[in-house]
Amino acid sequence: MISAEENELLTRVGRGTPMGNLFRQFWIPACLSSELVSDGDPMRLMLLGEKLVAFRDSSGRAGILDHQCPHRCVSLFFGRNEQGGLRCIYHGWKFDVNGNCLDQPNVPDKKRYPAGTKAKAYKVTERGGLVFVYMGAREVPPPLPDLEPTMVDTKDVGIALTQRDCNWLQALEGDIDTSHSGFLHGGNIDVDRLDRNDPLSYTIINKSPEINVTETEYGTMYSAQRDADEGNEHHRFASFIFPFWVTYPSDVVTNNVSANAWVPIDDEHTMIFNIDVFRGTGKDTAMRYDDGSLVPGLARPVEYLPRTNDWMGRWRPKANAVNDYMMDRDMQRSGESYSGIIGIPLQDQAIQESMGTIVDRTMEHLAASDRMVMLTRRALLKAAIDYRDNGKLPRIVDEPHLCRDARGGDIVVQKGTDWLDAYEEAMTRAVGPLHSMKAAE
């Protein structure tokens, strides 16, 4: 259990908070590259509680500015995106993607009032179909992390965004709580019909795995260990990577190139960046029965409400708290679906939002199945306090290679094999000798 004070430290991300200050030292996914069009409409964007405006200029450069014009604090969302900059419609002041003031047409004496007033602008870069923003104070930002799924251009097909109306940490913790999969997502599955050649089947057959955990140089890692066929055991891996990434398991380790970023919009809203390279190539990794049919209720049918220009107007699911996530009680009663909610993302959405916008963790009663959640909380608390008190940051900030070979996924190995040795062997087959798997000292 953690204290109320620790819960406050973990969850609050505004400027000046320990966790918010820590987050600002990392590159943060802001939006899809495709959401910004050259000389197109500016887009309202909220990150870490800050109201911003994103746009793409005439030459294709992306920019992210504080939404308030530095002249009279009018929102630049209403600005004209034209000829290499964003022009405020109040008095015509114009700013480029770096915040430089290009024009002050209402000021007659240019010598006395030079065009030198800058808008607050953050450094921006793009990779793998994503726009990243650095909100820290370094003149030269740290390098982007070597996160494998972000280093492949999936052309948006392999990236799905979803807004979740709860704090970032309780959303992320669902990604590192592996034992819930056998209930929330797979509690209705007919074990006798499972394809035993699919390692995922063991997560349904044995719903109470042994959880192995370790700290790593990039964050934390777990294995959910279960007995497999005679003489073998199954391991299901995932890693937490500072500050809010999870390489989650959705296939065997050798094929699984996927990650989620749990990006705080503010203290009570989160944007999920779900990146799955194989989904981008049309590969379907959904669990199936031995006759090839899909297990019902597990697909990803996230339909979105119409997009609006509100701060919270992007990537909102049509199935939400207002309509109880379109829960079907008859389906739940019949056993066709354990939850009565269709789709793994929406099942998770319902559970995490049902805790309230910021869950009171002092009311929890944690168990052995929560070891990865507990370890990750401790790692985050330590990182935020170390930075607050000593200016010390996790190594991954300046050593991006440390997470290069962090993957989630499933393997079956000979019984008694050390779980970290098993992971290293699988990853060596997949990508070559590991660079990052030594446990942090």
Side-chain angles (χ1 to χ4, degrees):
M1 183 184 293
I2 64 173
S3 67
E5 292 75 19
E6 289 171 328
N7 197 45
E8 186 81 358
L9 190 154
L10 281 167
T11 54
R12 302 295 179 179
V13 296
R15 185 167 290 280
T17 64
M19 193 60 69
N21 289 346
L22 176 68
F23 278 6
R24 285 167 172 79
Q25 309 315 306
F26 295 83
W27 284 100
I28 298 171
C31 62
L32 294 174
S33 293
S34 60
E35 292 185 88
L36 305 179
V37 178
S38 291
D39 288 339
D41 297 343
M43 183 178 77
R44 285 192 178 103
L45 179 70
M46 188 181 291
L47 290 170
L48 306 184
E50 296 189 28
K51 292 181 176 179
L52 311 169
V53 62
F55 69 104
R56 193 179 297 280
D57 71 9
S58 308
S59 64
R61 297 182 302 170
I64 294 179
L65 311 179
D66 186 291
H67 87 110
Q68 290 187 307
C69 175
H71 176 213
R72 296 279 298 281
C73 300
V74 169
S75 179
L76 290 170
F77 167 76
F78 298 104
R80 298 167 57 95
N81 185 9
E82 59 186 21
Q83 299 174 328
L86 196 57
R87 188 182 293 276
C88 179
I89 62 171
Y90 197 17
H91 298 95
W93 288 26
K94 183 178 178 180
F95 303 93
D96 68 13
V97 295
N98 297 312
N100 298 310
C101 187
L102 305 178
D103 191 18
Q104 292 170 305
N106 71 318
V107 179
D109 189 345
K110 304 296 188 200
K111 292 182 179 178
R112 185 175 181 184
Y113 298 105
T117 304
K118 293 192 70 170
K120 184 177 182 179
Y122 289 121
K123 294 177 175 63
V124 172
T125 191
E126 297 185 66
R127 189 171 77 184
L130 293 172
V131 176
F132 289 84
V133 61
Y134 173 70
M135 300 173 70
R138 292 189 189 186
E139 185 61 31
V140 178
L144 283 168
D146 289 354
L147 274 158
E148 190 179 18
T150 69
M151 302 173 80
V152 180
D153 191 354
T154 60
K155 308 296 184 187
D156 285 4
V157 179
I159 308 176
L161 274 63
T162 308
Q163 181 178 305
R164 197 158 286 178
D165 293 342
C166 66
N167 182 258
W168 73 277
L169 185 58
Q170 69 202 58
L172 181 149
E173 286 177 350
D175 230 11
I176 55 175
D177 166 14
T178 187
S179 69
H180 83 269
S181 297
F183 299 92
L184 177 64
H185 306 315
N188 63 304
I189 293 176
D190 183 349
V191 173
D192 293 333
R193 292 179 58 197
L194 284 173
D195 179 1
R196 297 304 174 89
N197 293 316
D198 183 352
L200 282 171
S201 64
Y202 296 110
T203 66
I204 306 303
I205 296 167
N206 182 347
K207 300 181 188 297
S208 54
E210 179 181 344
I211 307 296
N212 305 301
V213 296
T214 187
E215 290 192 64
T216 67
E217 293 173 328
Y218 52 74
T220 60
M221 178 182 178
Y222 80 77
S223 151
Q225 180 179 331
R226 299 169 167 93
D227 287 339
D229 52 324
E230 186 175 353
N232 292 320
E233 59 193 17
H234 169 257
H235 288 274
R236 186 167 174 82
F237 297 101
S239 289
F240 160 75
I241 300 169
F242 284 112
F244 42 53
W245 293 91
V246 176
T247 58
Y248 63 92
S250 62
D251 201 345
V252 294
V253 166
T254 49
N255 295 342
N256 197 55
V257 184
S258 58
N260 285 326
W262 302 90
V263 178
I265 298 173
D266 60 12
D267 290 342
E268 299 182 348
H269 301 85
T270 304
M271 188 67 77
I272 309 161
F273 289 74
N274 170 245
I275 309 169
D276 190 326
V277 171
F278 283 108
R279 185 176 63 232
T281 63
K283 179 179 172 63
D284 181 7
T285 59
M287 187 177 289
R288 296 176 182 272
Y289 285 128
D290 54 9
D291 62 2
S293 62
L294 285 172
V295 173
L298 297 189
R300 189 190 170 87
V302 179
E303 296 182 56
Y304 297 100
L305 292 171
R307 189 183 182 111
T308 72
N309 288 325
D310 298 338
W311 297 109
M312 305 291 176
R314 301 162 50 240
W315 309 111
R316 297 170 301 155
K318 190 177 292 185
N320 54 53
V322 173
N323 51 41
D324 293 323
Y325 309 92
M326 299 185 180
M327 184 182 197
D328 186 328
R329 288 289 189 183
D330 289 334
M331 182 180 288
Q332 186 187 54
R333 275 189 287 267
S334 71
E336 186 178 354
S337 167
Y338 192 78
S339 65
I341 299 169
I342 300 301
I344 288 176
L346 290 175
Q347 291 162 4
D348 286 329
Q349 189 110 1
I351 293 306
Q352 290 159 17
E353 291 183 356
S354 76
M355 300 175 183
T357 51
I358 302 179
V359 65
D360 181 358
R361 290 178 173 82
T362 65
M363 298 177 66
E364 293 178 327
H365 296 81
L366 301 180
S369 58
D370 302 306
R371 292 185 68 203
M372 178 63 172
V373 170
M374 291 185 277
L375 182 66
T376 302
R377 288 178 188 175
R378 288 201 298 269
L380 281 162
L381 280 168
K382 183 178 185 304
I385 292 168
D386 278 351
Y387 184 62
R388 181 193 67 188
D389 295 348
N390 308 308
K392 180 183 176 183
L393 287 167
R395 289 178 57 193
I396 187 65
V397 173
D398 292 298
E399 299 180 61
H401 67 280
L402 293 177
C403 67
R404 186 175 299 160
D405 299 315
R407 280 192 188 182
D410 298 83
I411 61 171
V412 175
V413 296
Q414 184 176 352
K415 197 173 184 66
T417 305
D418 179 84
W419 69 283
L420 290 174
D421 290 343
Y423 178 82
E424 182 166 352
E425 182 181 345
M427 286 298 292
T428 299
R429 289 198 306 270
V431 297
L434 295 184
H435 301 283
S436 62
M437 253 315 298
K438 291 180 181 178
E441 296 180 357

Coordinates of all heavy atoms in Angstrom, one line a residue, residues 339-392:
S339 N -17.4 -10.1 -19.6 CA -17.7 -8.8 -19.2 C -19.0 -8.2 -19.8 O -19.6 -7.3 -19.2 CB -16.6 -7.8 -19.5 OG -16.4 -7.6 -20.9
G340 N -19.4 -8.7 -20.9 CA -20.5 -8.1 -21.7 C -20.1 -6.9 -22.4 O -20.9 -6.3 -23.1
I341 N -18.8 -6.6 -22.4 CA -18.3 -5.4 -23.2 C -17.4 -6.0 -24.3 O -16.6 -6.8 -24.1 CB -17.5 -4.5 -22.3 CG1 -18.4 -3.9 -21.2 CG2 -16.8 -3.3 -23.1 CD1 -17.6 -3.2 -20.1
I342 N -17.6 -5.5 -25.5 CA -17.0 -6.0 -26.7 C -15.6 -5.3 -26.9 O -15.6 -4.0 -27.0 CB -17.8 -5.9 -27.9 CG1 -19.1 -6.7 -27.7 CG2 -17.1 -6.4 -29.1 CD1 -18.9 -8.2 -27.4
G343 N -14.6 -6.0 -27.0 CA -13.3 -5.4 -27.4 C -12.4 -5.2 -26.2 O -12.8 -4.6 -25.2
I344 N -11.1 -5.7 -26.3 CA -10.2 -5.6 -25.1 C -10.0 -4.1 -24.7 O -10.0 -3.8 -23.5 CB -8.9 -6.3 -25.5 CG1 -9.1 -7.8 -25.5 CG2 -7.7 -5.9 -24.6 CD1 -7.8 -8.6 -25.9
P345 N -9.8 -3.2 -25.7 CA -9.6 -1.8 -25.2 C -10.7 -1.2 -24.4 O -10.5 -0.5 -23.4 CB -9.4 -1.1 -26.6 CG -8.9 -2.1 -27.5 CD -9.6 -3.3 -27.1
L346 N -12.0 -1.5 -24.9 CA -13.1 -1.0 -24.1 C -13.3 -1.7 -22.8 O -13.8 -1.1 -21.8 CB -14.4 -1.1 -25.0 CG -14.4 -0.2 -26.2 CD1 -15.6 -0.5 -27.1 CD2 -14.4 1.3 -25.8
Q347 N -13.0 -3.0 -22.7 CA -13.0 -3.7 -21.4 C -12.1 -3.0 -20.4 O -12.5 -2.7 -19.3 CB -12.7 -5.1 -21.6 CG -13.7 -5.9 -22.4 CD -13.2 -7.2 -23.0 OE1 -12.1 -7.6 -22.7 NE2 -14.0 -7.9 -23.7
D348 N -10.9 -2.7 -20.9 CA -9.9 -2.0 -20.0 C -10.4 -0.6 -19.7 O -10.3 -0.1 -18.6 CB -8.6 -1.9 -20.7 CG -7.8 -3.3 -20.7 OD1 -8.0 -4.1 -19.8 OD2 -7.1 -3.5 -21.6
Q349 N -11.0 0.1 -20.7 CA -11.5 1.4 -20.5 C -12.5 1.5 -19.4 O -12.5 2.3 -18.5 CB -12.1 1.9 -21.8 CG -12.5 3.4 -21.8 CD -11.6 4.2 -22.7 OE1 -10.7 3.7 -23.3 NE2 -11.8 5.5 -22.7
A350 N -13.5 0.6 -19.4 CA -14.5 0.5 -18.4 C -14.0 0.3 -17.0 O -14.4 1.0 -16.0 CB -15.5 -0.6 -18.8
I351 N -13.1 -0.6 -16.9 CA -12.5 -1.0 -15.6 C -11.7 0.2 -15.0 O -11.9 0.6 -13.8 CB -11.6 -2.2 -15.7 CG1 -12.5 -3.5 -16.0 CG2 -10.8 -2.4 -14.4 CD1 -13.6 -3.7 -15.1
Q352 N -10.9 0.8 -15.8 CA -10.0 1.8 -15.3 C -10.8 3.1 -15.0 O -10.5 3.8 -14.0 CB -8.9 2.1 -16.3 CG -7.9 0.9 -16.3 CD -7.1 0.8 -17.6 OE1 -7.0 1.8 -18.3 NE2 -6.5 -0.4 -17.8
E353 N -11.7 3.5 -15.8 CA -12.5 4.7 -15.5 C -13.5 4.5 -14.4 O -13.8 5.4 -13.7 CB -13.3 5.1 -16.8 CG -12.4 5.6 -17.9 CD -13.2 6.1 -19.1 OE1 -14.4 5.9 -19.2 OE2 -12.5 6.6 -20.1
S354 N -13.9 3.2 -14.1 CA -14.8 2.9 -13.0 C -14.1 3.2 -11.6 O -14.8 3.4 -10.6 CB -15.3 1.5 -13.1 OG -14.3 0.6 -12.6
M355 N -12.8 3.3 -11.6 CA -12.1 3.5 -10.3 C -12.2 5.0 -9.9 O -11.9 5.3 -8.8 CB -10.6 3.2 -10.5 CG -10.3 1.8 -10.9 SD -8.5 1.6 -11.2 CE -8.4 -0.1 -11.7
G356 N -12.8 5.8 -10.8 CA -12.8 7.3 -10.5 C -11.6 7.9 -11.3 O -10.7 7.2 -11.8
T357 N -11.6 9.2 -11.4 CA -10.6 9.9 -12.3 C -9.2 9.7 -11.7 O -8.3 9.6 -12.4 CB -10.9 11.4 -12.4 OG1 -11.2 11.9 -11.1 CG2 -12.2 11.6 -13.3
I358 N -9.1 9.7 -10.4 CA -7.8 9.4 -9.7 C -8.1 8.5 -8.5 O -8.8 8.9 -7.6 CB -7.1 10.7 -9.2 CG1 -6.9 11.7 -10.3 CG2 -5.8 10.3 -8.5 CD1 -6.2 13.0 -9.8
V359 N -7.7 7.2 -8.7 CA -8.1 6.2 -7.7 C -7.3 6.5 -6.4 O -6.2 7.0 -6.3 CB -7.7 4.8 -8.2 CG1 -6.2 4.6 -8.4 CG2 -8.3 3.7 -7.3
D360 N -8.0 6.2 -5.3 CA -7.5 6.4 -3.9 C -6.7 5.1 -3.6 O -7.4 4.1 -3.2 CB -8.6 6.7 -2.9 CG -8.0 6.8 -1.5 OD1 -6.8 6.7 -1.3 OD2 -8.8 7.1 -0.6
R361 N -5.4 5.0 -3.8 CA -4.7 3.8 -3.6 C -4.5 3.4 -2.2 O -4.1 2.2 -1.9 CB -3.3 3.9 -4.3 CG -3.5 3.9 -5.8 CD -2.1 4.0 -6.5 NE -2.3 3.9 -8.0 CZ -2.7 4.9 -8.8 NH1 -3.0 6.1 -8.3 NH2 -2.8 4.6 -10.1
T362 N -4.9 4.2 -1.2 CA -4.8 3.8 0.2 C -5.9 2.8 0.5 O -5.9 2.2 1.6 CB -5.0 5.0 1.1 OG1 -6.3 5.6 1.0 CG2 -3.9 6.1 0.8
M363 N -6.9 2.7 -0.4 CA -8.0 1.7 -0.1 C -7.7 0.3 -0.7 O -8.5 -0.6 -0.6 CB -9.3 2.3 -0.7 CG -9.7 3.6 -0.1 SD -11.2 4.2 -0.9 CE -12.4 3.0 -0.4
E364 N -6.6 0.2 -1.4 CA -6.3 -1.1 -2.1 C -5.8 -2.2 -1.1 O -5.4 -1.9 0.0 CB -5.1 -0.9 -3.1 CG -5.4 0.0 -4.2 CD -4.2 0.1 -5.1 OE1 -3.1 0.2 -4.6 OE2 -4.4 0.2 -6.3
H365 N -5.9 -3.4 -1.5 CA -5.4 -4.6 -0.8 C -4.6 -5.4 -1.8 O -5.2 -6.2 -2.5 CB -6.5 -5.4 -0.1 CG -7.2 -4.6 1.0 ND1 -8.2 -3.7 0.7 CD2 -7.0 -4.6 2.3 CE1 -8.7 -3.2 1.8 NE2 -8.0 -3.7 2.8
L366 N -3.4 -5.1 -2.0 CA -2.6 -5.7 -3.0 C -2.2 -7.1 -2.7 O -2.1 -7.5 -1.5 CB -1.3 -4.9 -3.3 CG -1.6 -3.4 -3.7 CD1 -0.3 -2.7 -4.0 CD2 -2.5 -3.3 -5.0
A367 N -1.9 -7.9 -3.7 CA -1.6 -9.3 -3.6 C -0.3 -9.7 -4.4 O 0.2 -8.8 -5.1 CB -2.7 -10.2 -4.0
A368 N 0.1 -10.9 -4.4 CA 1.3 -11.4 -5.1 C 1.2 -11.1 -6.6 O 2.2 -10.9 -7.3 CB 1.6 -12.8 -4.8
S369 N -0.1 -11.2 -7.1 CA -0.3 -10.9 -8.5 C 0.0 -9.5 -8.9 O 0.1 -9.2 -10.1 CB -1.7 -11.3 -8.9 OG -2.6 -10.5 -8.1
D370 N 0.2 -8.6 -8.0 CA 0.4 -7.2 -8.2 C 1.9 -6.8 -8.1 O 2.2 -5.6 -8.0 CB -0.4 -6.3 -7.3 CG -1.9 -6.6 -7.3 OD1 -2.5 -6.6 -8.5 OD2 -2.5 -7.0 -6.3
R371 N 2.8 -7.7 -8.1 CA 4.2 -7.4 -7.9 C 4.8 -6.4 -8.9 O 5.5 -5.5 -8.5 CB 5.0 -8.7 -7.9 CG 4.8 -9.6 -6.7 CD 5.7 -10.8 -6.8 NE 7.1 -10.4 -6.5 CZ 8.2 -11.1 -6.9 NH1 8.1 -12.2 -7.5 NH2 9.4 -10.6 -6.6
M372 N 4.4 -6.5 -10.2 CA 4.9 -5.6 -11.2 C 4.3 -4.2 -10.9 O 5.0 -3.2 -11.1 CB 4.5 -6.1 -12.6 CG 5.0 -5.2 -13.7 SD 6.8 -5.0 -13.8 CE 6.9 -4.1 -15.4
V373 N 3.1 -4.1 -10.5 CA 2.5 -2.8 -10.2 C 3.2 -2.1 -9.1 O 3.6 -1.0 -9.1 CB 1.0 -2.9 -9.9 CG1 0.4 -1.6 -9.4 CG2 0.2 -3.4 -11.2
M374 N 3.5 -2.9 -8.0 CA 4.2 -2.4 -6.8 C 5.6 -1.9 -7.2 O 6.0 -0.8 -6.8 CB 4.2 -3.4 -5.7 CG 2.8 -3.7 -5.1 SD 2.9 -4.8 -3.7 CE 2.9 -6.4 -4.5
L375 N 6.3 -2.7 -7.9 CA 7.7 -2.4 -8.3 C 7.7 -1.1 -9.2 O 8.6 -0.3 -9.0 CB 8.4 -3.6 -9.0 CG 9.8 -3.4 -9.4 CD1 10.7 -3.3 -8.2 CD2 10.3 -4.5 -10.3
T376 N 6.8 -1.0 -10.1 CA 6.8 0.1 -11.0 C 6.5 1.4 -10.3 O 7.1 2.5 -10.5 CB 5.8 -0.1 -12.2 OG1 6.2 -1.3 -12.9 CG2 5.8 1.0 -13.2
R377 N 5.5 1.3 -9.3 CA 5.2 2.5 -8.5 C 6.5 3.0 -7.8 O 6.8 4.2 -7.7 CB 4.1 2.2 -7.5 CG 2.7 2.0 -8.2 CD 1.7 1.7 -7.1 NE 0.4 1.4 -7.7 CZ -0.6 0.9 -7.0 NH1 -0.5 0.7 -5.7 NH2 -1.8 0.7 -7.6
R378 N 7.2 2.0 -7.2 CA 8.4 2.4 -6.4 C 9.4 3.0 -7.3 O 10.1 4.0 -6.9 CB 8.9 1.1 -5.7 CG 8.1 0.6 -4.5 CD 8.9 -0.2 -3.6 NE 9.4 -1.4 -4.2 CZ 8.8 -2.6 -4.2 NH1 7.6 -2.7 -3.7 NH2 9.4 -3.7 -4.8
A379 N 9.6 2.5 -8.5 CA 10.5 3.0 -9.4 C 10.2 4.4 -9.8 O 11.0 5.3 -9.9 CB 10.7 2.1 -10.7
L380 N 8.9 4.7 -10.1 CA 8.4 6.0 -10.4 C 8.6 7.0 -9.3 O 9.0 8.1 -9.5 CB 7.0 6.0 -10.9 CG 6.7 5.5 -12.3 CD1 5.3 5.1 -12.5 CD2 7.1 6.6 -13.3
L381 N 8.2 6.6 -8.1 CA 8.4 7.4 -6.9 C 9.8 7.8 -6.7 O 10.2 9.0 -6.5 CB 7.9 6.7 -5.7 CG 6.4 6.7 -5.4 CD1 6.0 5.8 -4.3 CD2 5.9 8.2 -5.1
K382 N 10.7 6.8 -6.8 CA 12.1 7.1 -6.6 C 12.7 8.0 -7.7 O 13.4 9.0 -7.4 CB 12.9 5.8 -6.7 CG 14.4 5.9 -6.5 CD 15.2 4.6 -6.5 CE 16.6 4.8 -6.1 NZ 17.3 5.7 -7.0
A383 N 12.3 7.9 -8.9 CA 12.7 8.7 -10.0 C 12.3 10.2 -9.8 O 13.0 11.1 -10.0 CB 12.3 8.2 -11.4
A384 N 11.0 10.3 -9.4 CA 10.5 11.7 -9.2 C 11.1 12.4 -8.1 O 11.5 13.6 -8.1 CB 9.0 11.6 -9.0
I385 N 11.4 11.6 -7.0 CA 12.0 12.2 -5.8 C 13.5 12.5 -6.1 O 14.0 13.5 -5.7 CB 11.8 11.3 -4.6 CG1 10.3 11.3 -4.2 CG2 12.7 11.7 -3.4 CD1 10.0 10.2 -3.2
D386 N 14.2 11.6 -6.7 CA 15.6 11.8 -7.1 C 15.7 13.1 -7.9 O 16.7 13.8 -7.7 CB 16.1 10.6 -7.9 CG 16.6 9.5 -7.0 OD1 16.6 9.7 -5.7 OD2 16.9 8.4 -7.5
Y387 N 14.8 13.3 -8.9 CA 15.0 14.5 -9.7 C 14.6 15.7 -8.9 O 15.3 16.7 -9.1 CB 14.1 14.3 -10.9 CG 14.2 15.5 -11.9 CD1 15.5 15.8 -12.5 CD2 13.2 16.4 -12.2 CE1 15.6 16.9 -13.3 CE2 13.3 17.5 -13.0 CZ 14.6 17.7 -13.6 OH 14.7 18.8 -14.4
R388 N 13.6 15.6 -8.1 CA 13.2 16.8 -7.3 C 14.3 17.2 -6.3 O 14.6 18.4 -6.2 CB 11.9 16.4 -6.5 CG 11.4 17.6 -5.6 CD 10.3 17.1 -4.6 NE 10.9 16.2 -3.6 CZ 10.2 15.5 -2.8 NH1 8.9 15.5 -2.8 NH2 10.8 14.7 -1.9
D389 N 14.9 16.2 -5.7 CA 15.8 16.5 -4.6 C 17.3 16.7 -5.0 O 18.0 17.4 -4.4 CB 15.8 15.4 -3.5 CG 14.4 15.4 -2.8 OD1 13.6 16.3 -3.0 OD2 14.1 14.4 -2.1
N390 N 17.7 15.9 -6.1 CA 19.1 15.9 -6.5 C 19.3 16.2 -8.0 O 20.5 16.2 -8.4 CB 19.7 14.5 -6.2 CG 19.4 14.1 -4.7 OD1 19.7 14.8 -3.8 ND2 18.8 12.9 -4.5
G391 N 18.3 16.4 -8.7 CA 18.4 16.6 -10.1 C 18.9 15.4 -10.9 O 19.3 15.5 -12.1
K392 N 18.7 14.2 -10.3 CA 19.2 13.0 -10.9 C 18.0 12.4 -11.8 O 16.9 12.3 -11.3 CB 19.6 12.0 -9.9 CG 20.1 10.7 -10.5 CD 20.5 9.7 -9.3 CE 20.9 8.3 -9.9 NZ 21.2 7.3 -8.8

